[in-house]
Amino acid sequence: RREHANKQRAPLLTLAQARANAQRISHAPVKPNKLGITALNLDLAAIAHYIDWNPFFLTWDLAGKYPRVFDDARIGEQAKQVFADAQAMLQKIIAEKWLTARAAFGLFEANAIGDDIEFRDGEKALLTWRGLRQQVTLSDGKANQCLADFVAPKSSGITDYAGAFAVTTGLGIEKKLAEFEAAHDDYNAIMLKALADRLAEAAAEWLHERVRKEYWGYAPAESFSHQELIAESYQGIRPAPGYPACPDHLVKRDLFRLLGASTRCGMSLTESMAMAPAASVAGFYLAQGHYFAINRIGRDQLEDWAKRSAIPTPEAEKWLAHLL
């Protein structure tokens, strides 16, 4: 505790200084082939090919890179057994339709206004995504980044585009979990939850590929292997609320409202902005950019964000407490 308390922390810039150290990406926007909202019923058999198995083994405290984890002298045999059980259950999930998967996504005209991104239908504003900017003093002349830097400013007169999505693979899971729990079968209950989570992430990966190649179409000739998709070798990003580049969970409320995620996908939000079903993913699409982390912000940015979000500062403190 003493070592942690005495650890040197990089000083914060003022918000004005951080904004002055921004670096906007200049690009020629590609108009999506289909603007507006699309809802899909997803095929679990197709989605399963997009599963990243690495996080699955962490669920069982089997740390190792798939498939090399099978060769580990200490945990290899256990990993093989758990994986075999997962494959058997995955086949049942698909064949017996234990789960239902749905998605809703939208592609819209968009522009940056300061640190915010405004989603529009023509002149009608649909959603304003309130961005946060890195405030830590960075070395080597690096810019203090905000996701709005990856979208053309409205003042430029250029119409840019952005997207939003929500997917779930957890519809129907409660019935099967109740069966396992009634039989005191904790192992298969945990296995089903783990596979539903993996399928949700796989669904997000599958859908993002379709968006890049078809619905938005800014990368129609893209061709990546499974490993290259996991490594995010493609153009564009899908930042999700609550993750390092977008630590604001509150925007989920506006995202769900924009997409009609409740009616189109059967998804909902708790008071703490957790998604239900738990095997769900939601976020945004940007055609340009990269991921980064916002670790700390100053009081000036907290108050600025609260004002832009039209919420009291104490409420903003609650949602961004981990950044203060």
Side-chain angles (χ1 to χ4, degrees):
R1 287 197 298 269
R2 282 196 301 271
E3 288 176 358
H4 179 75
N6 293 329
K7 189 166 59 177
Q8 294 295 315
R9 306 179 80 186
L12 292 179
L13 300 174
T14 67
L15 180 57
Q17 289 170 328
R19 285 172 172 167
N21 193 41
Q23 185 177 15
R24 293 194 174 273
I25 286 183
S26 177
H27 65 283
V30 175
K31 183 177 180 179
N33 292 322
K34 184 177 181 182
L35 287 169
I37 298 171
T38 302
L40 299 171
N41 291 318
L42 306 182
D43 179 2
L44 289 176
I47 289 166
H49 295 293
Y50 288 74
I51 290 178
D52 175 5
W53 287 103
N54 288 305
F56 169 80
F57 292 101
L58 294 177
T59 302
W60 305 98
D61 289 330
L62 300 170
K65 200 83 170 172
Y66 170 79
R68 293 197 303 272
V69 66
F70 298 145
D71 300 323
D72 188 286
R74 186 173 60 86
I75 61 171
E77 289 304 314
Q78 194 175 359
K80 287 178 185 176
Q81 184 58 57
V82 170
F83 187 68
D85 292 344
Q87 297 305 305
M89 182 178 283
L90 183 58
Q91 290 180 14
K92 288 184 178 181
I93 289 171
I94 295 169
E96 299 175 17
K97 296 180 169 52
W98 288 6
L99 303 175
T100 299
R102 292 183 187 146
F105 68 96
L107 299 171
F108 310 94
E109 294 179 357
N111 283 106
I113 303 175
D115 289 348
D116 301 337
I117 300 174
E118 180 186 72
F119 289 64
R120 297 188 312 278
D121 178 8
E123 295 300 313
K124 181 182 178 183
L126 302 173
L127 177 151
T128 301
W129 181 13
R130 310 292 179 187
L132 291 164
R133 183 173 295 281
Q134 292 175 318
Q135 270 188 272
V136 173
T137 302
L138 301 171
S139 60
D140 303 325
K142 293 178 181 176
N144 290 82
Q145 300 174 99
C146 173
L147 289 169
D149 298 342
F150 304 144
V151 180
K154 195 169 187 178
S155 59
S156 69
I158 298 171
T159 299
D160 209 340
Y161 304 91
F165 73 94
V167 301
T168 184
T169 55
L171 298 170
I173 195 172
E174 296 303 330
K175 179 183 177 183
K176 205 67 190 176
L177 285 177
E179 292 178 17
F180 288 135
E181 288 164 5
H184 305 289
D185 188 349
D186 293 341
Y187 177 72
N188 278 312
I190 295 170
M191 180 68 75
L192 179 55
K193 291 177 185 177
L195 287 174
D197 287 345
R198 288 297 86 220
L199 284 167
E201 295 290 347
E205 193 72 78
W206 175 87
L207 182 61
H208 195 188
E209 183 181 57
R210 293 281 308 275
V211 167
R212 295 190 304 270
K213 296 172 73 172
E214 301 169 32
Y215 291 99
W216 194 331
Y218 63 77
E222 174 191 297
S223 179
F224 289 111
S225 68
H226 179 60
Q227 288 304 316
E228 287 171 327
L229 288 175
I230 291 173
E232 298 169 343
S233 302
Y234 44 77
Q235 176 188 334
I237 56 175
R238 57 171 189 274
Y243 282 79
C246 176
D248 163 30
H249 283 278
L250 268 183
V251 72
K252 287 180 195 169
R253 197 163 50 192
D254 296 329
L255 186 153
F256 269 50
R257 190 180 301 120
L258 172 67
L259 297 177
S262 177
T263 54
R264 289 187 171 100
C265 301
M267 298 168 65
S268 61
L269 292 169
T270 68
E271 287 184 1
S272 61
M273 298 299 139
M275 290 182 286
S280 300
V281 184
F284 296 95
Y285 294 133
L286 298 177
Q288 302 289 333
H290 53 264
Y291 297 108
F292 55 87
I294 296 172
N295 298 316
R296 285 189 296 139
I297 63 170
R299 184 82 190 178
D300 54 352
Q301 182 162 196
L302 171 75
E303 294 175 353
D304 183 86
W305 183 82
K307 184 177 180 181
R308 283 152 45 213
S309 302
I311 61 174
T313 299
E315 185 178 349
E317 285 178 333
K318 180 184 78 171
W319 290 107
L320 301 182
H322 59 295
L323 299 178
L324 298 175

